[in-house]
Amino acid sequence: MKVLVDMNLCQSHGECAVVAPEVFELGDDDVLRWEEDVGEELREKVEEAVERCPMMAIRIED
Ligand code: SF4
């Protein structure tokens, strides 16, 4: 699956990095970095990140 983050919406709160650290990482510069191509084994975690993101900035594309 593909993981997309709308960086116009993201406010670097980092909830996604807490629930799915394998995919999302907040850098020292407070800018979010993430893996775009993610294996199915991490789908549940990414879905949780989608739900937890206060800005609704994360999207999964199959
Ligand atoms: S949870 Fe949402 S707003 Fe926060 S860093 Fe992740 S994508 Fe950005």
Side-chain angles (χ1 to χ4, degrees):
M1 65 182 164
K2 277 236 180 291
V3 178
L4 308 172
V5 179
D6 185 338
M7 290 306 282
N8 292 318
L9 295 176
C10 174
Q11 291 191 351
S12 301
H13 295 302
E15 282 86 342
C16 54
V18 173
V19 294
E22 301 89 340
V23 178
F24 303 97
E25 183 186 29
L26 210 50
D28 291 338
D29 51 4
D30 261 7
V31 175
L32 182 73
R33 292 176 188 81
W34 72 96
E35 296 286 336
E36 284 201 347
D37 294 301
V38 178
E40 280 302 312
E41 71 280 2
L42 288 170
R43 178 176 288 270
E44 215 168 287
K45 282 192 168 187
V46 175
E47 283 177 351
E48 198 182 334
V50 169
E51 278 171 31
R52 291 264 212 106
C53 175
M55 304 310 295
M56 300 200 303
I58 309 169
R59 205 153 52 82
I60 296 173
E61 228 171 57
D62 290 300

